[in-house]
Amino acid sequence: MMQSYRTSPPHDKRGGSFAQTGDKAPRRTRHRQVIRAALAPFPLGERPIENMVHLLEAKGVRVYSLAENSIEVDAFALWHSKTPFVFLNTLKSAEHGRFDAAHELGHLVLHRHSGPQIPDAERQANAFASAFLMPRASVLANAPRMATLQNLIQLKKQWIVSVAALAYRLHALGLVTDWHYRTLCIEIGQNGYRRKEPEGAQRERSQILATVFAALREEGVSKAAVADQLQIEGDELDKLVFGLMIVSLAGGATSLRGSKGTGDFLRIVK
């Protein structure tokens, strides 16, 4: 079982990034080779990914939100038997959440059999997420000649990423110099954009859970009944499913065990 916790964003408060400037060429080359191999099973082309959560679910990943209201933990991923799970922190910005989802996908693909504590695991997962969300050819075709903070704020909407993540990607592709990148990082920090994303996007939520809850609602199954079946509190259920609510039909709740065609709709992994 592989588990991954991250306790700081890929572009931290110190003005740095998940790949520090000055890395040696052999390490960069090795990372590129690893990332290219990891991206091979995802022939998504160069178009932006509209919804990371829906994409993960379409590939068989079970996606939930973190039950704990902790600003310190970004995301969490694991393999349970042959099923991959990803848990996302909904206290982060929508753009941050998309990057976290791609980061955890990187761990699931790259480190399933080696665990997250291998050398450069976090760096590799961040590089995977950056390349996954912002394909090289797409960025090269749309990058400005001289990137400013204001045009990055507009440009980031194309890939639905944070302004800090886009600045890093431009630097990683050699489109901005070390000095220019450091200047952008300072501006991003001074404007408070590491905590509050400018012109933020809409948060992504599970498509599968919404469908399941709609079906349960039609059968008259309440949120309380689902929570009882899972042996957890109703508030904890809300926190695990992106705040999606199950509304009881008139006449009271229906037991999951007694509803037509019911099964194990949700299951807590311990």
Side-chain angles (χ1 to χ4, degrees):
M1 179 184 297
M2 187 281 291
Q3 298 182 353
S4 166
Y5 291 94
R6 288 198 297 138
T7 56
S8 61
H11 0 268
D12 59 30
K13 299 177 182 178
R14 296 170 293 180
S17 70
F18 45 74
Q20 300 297 325
T21 58
D23 282 352
K24 295 182 179 179
R27 174 176 291 182
R28 287 182 174 177
T29 300
R30 185 167 62 252
H31 283 169
R32 292 192 188 102
Q33 293 171 343
V34 170
I35 300 310
R36 279 198 297 267
L39 289 171
F42 302 94
L44 301 175
E46 299 296 333
R47 298 184 62 182
I49 296 173
E50 294 183 1
N51 192 304
M52 269 301 305
V53 172
H54 294 177
L55 175 62
L56 290 177
E57 291 181 327
K59 297 298 183 180
V61 181
R62 306 295 191 263
V63 185
Y64 296 94
S65 48
L66 285 170
E68 298 297 327
N69 290 328
S70 173
I71 199 70
E72 301 299 326
V73 178
D74 286 340
F76 171 63
L78 60 85
W79 284 91
H80 180 69
S81 185
K82 295 183 178 180
T83 303
F85 286 79
V86 167
F87 296 83
L88 302 174
N89 190 333
T90 56
L91 297 180
K92 307 292 184 178
S93 70
E95 292 86 348
H96 196 143
R98 279 171 56 86
F99 194 96
D100 288 343
H103 173 101
E104 297 307 326
L105 175 60
H107 277 307
L108 292 171
V109 172
L110 291 165
H111 309 131
R112 177 177 183 180
H113 301 294
S114 55
Q117 302 305 319
I118 66 171
D120 289 337
E122 291 302 307
R123 191 184 296 261
Q124 289 175 3
N126 278 319
F128 176 94
S130 184
F132 194 79
L133 291 173
M134 295 168 280
R136 182 177 184 274
S138 178
V139 175
L140 292 176
N142 292 278
R145 287 181 175 273
M146 179 57 69
T148 67
L149 182 57
Q150 287 307 310
N151 58 35
L152 290 189
I153 290 174
Q154 296 305 312
L155 189 60
K156 76 184 183 73
K157 298 174 185 177
Q158 178 165 338
W159 298 283
I160 320 178
V161 296
S162 71
V163 66
L166 179 54
Y168 165 79
R169 184 62 169 153
L170 293 178
H171 177 251
L173 292 175
L175 298 174
V176 299
T177 65
D178 290 356
W179 178 87
H180 190 178
Y181 175 59
R182 291 181 186 278
T183 300
L184 288 172
C185 286
I186 291 171
E187 290 185 55
I188 291 168
Q190 289 176 340
N191 283 276
Y193 294 158
R194 296 190 183 280
R195 295 185 177 181
K196 183 176 177 58
E197 189 65 30
E199 302 185 24
Q202 184 175 2
R203 184 173 303 284
E204 299 176 352
R205 290 179 171 84
S206 168
Q207 185 171 242
I208 291 177
L209 291 175
T211 302
V212 169
F213 291 167
L216 291 175
R217 185 167 58 247
E218 290 179 359
E219 295 184 1
V221 179
S222 71
K223 179 182 69 175
V226 177
D228 179 66
Q229 177 78 354
L230 295 173
Q231 299 182 351
I232 60 176
E233 297 294 329
D235 289 344
E236 184 178 358
L237 174 61
D238 283 337
K239 294 174 183 177
L240 281 168
V241 296
F242 300 91
L244 297 169
M245 301 293 290
I246 303 175
V247 181
S248 301
L249 296 179
T254 300
S255 168
L256 276 177
R257 296 183 178 86
S259 60
K260 181 177 64 176
T262 58
D264 292 330
F265 292 95
L266 297 174
R267 182 163 58 92
I268 299 298
V269 179
K270 298 183 179 179

